[in-house]
Amino acid sequence: MLTKLSRLALSAAMGLMVLGCKPVHLDDDRPENARDFPRSKRDVAKIVGTQFSTESARDKRNESQVVMDIARLTAGMSVADIGAGEGYYTVRLAEVVGENGRVLAQDIDGEALARLGNRVSRERLDNVSIKPGEVTDPKLPANSFDRIFMVHMYHEVTEPYAFIWHMRPALRKDGEVIVVDVNRPTQKHGIPPKQLFCEFEAVGYQLMEFAERPDIAGFVARFKAVGERPEPMSIQACGTDGQKSPEPR
């Protein structure tokens, strides 16, 4: 007859067999390269398309010019367009940085990148290159960019701490991240500014400028990296009130 200890051991072994002989981890639902980072405590908007609005409507508001002026974009700069989608910003950034500048368009949507590639070829944008990214890492080359643009896409990032942590080394000295979004809950395809500020600060960025711009139906925020990049396990998640939370991960 089995002793009580033996029965417990047999029960545990059978449980592992049911689970495929693999122990259950709380982070099994997350990408492996995000598991050292805190979970986001806010909602994440579903990706419903690769266009924020029609290009004509955005040009009527003079959106791209407003954003590029706030970003202090000049000829010869190297920039990245994260979540490039159909390329509204990509083609306009390419025009401003000119033949001596570079634009890297990145997205996780392969079909959108294919369409953008066709547009780049059709419009002969020789200063534009295209590269796929990951949901946790934009896969940008280190020390390469004067500006990184994240336009109407940050609220769709499922692992924000991992994403902007991996993005940080891509900035050159005095490089900046430019975030364009809308002041509303993330599940409604926007992000409250306090939430945005807290998440970037948690990964070692400093807010340089924030501008509410009703004329482009959103806001623009400029960040730069300061100090040493924090270790992933030391990053403290932000609550939905835009404050760092002491709660366990």
Side-chain angles (χ1 to χ4, degrees), residues 69-82:
D69 285 348
I70 292 174
R72 301 170 187 173
L73 193 69
T74 59
M77 281 187 170
S78 177
V79 303
D81 183 12
I82 306 300

Side-chain angles (χ1 to χ4, degrees), residues 179-197:
V179 179
V180 181
D181 221 310
V182 182
N183 183 1
R184 59 189 178 209
T186 50
Q187 66 268 33
K188 295 184 178 180
H189 292 271
I191 186 167
K194 285 185 178 180
Q195 185 77 35
L196 176 72
F197 303 161

Side-chain angles (χ1 to χ4, degrees), residues 47-85:
I47 300 175
V48 295
T50 55
Q51 286 185 313
F52 169 69
S53 178
T54 64
E55 296 201 6
S56 59
R58 298 173 85 170
D59 280 343
K60 189 174 181 179
R61 294 195 296 260
N62 202 29
E63 178 187 326
S64 63
Q65 192 60 56
V66 167
V67 171
M68 290 188 291
D69 285 348
I70 292 174
R72 301 170 187 173
L73 193 69
T74 59
M77 281 187 170
S78 177
V79 303
D81 183 12
I82 306 300

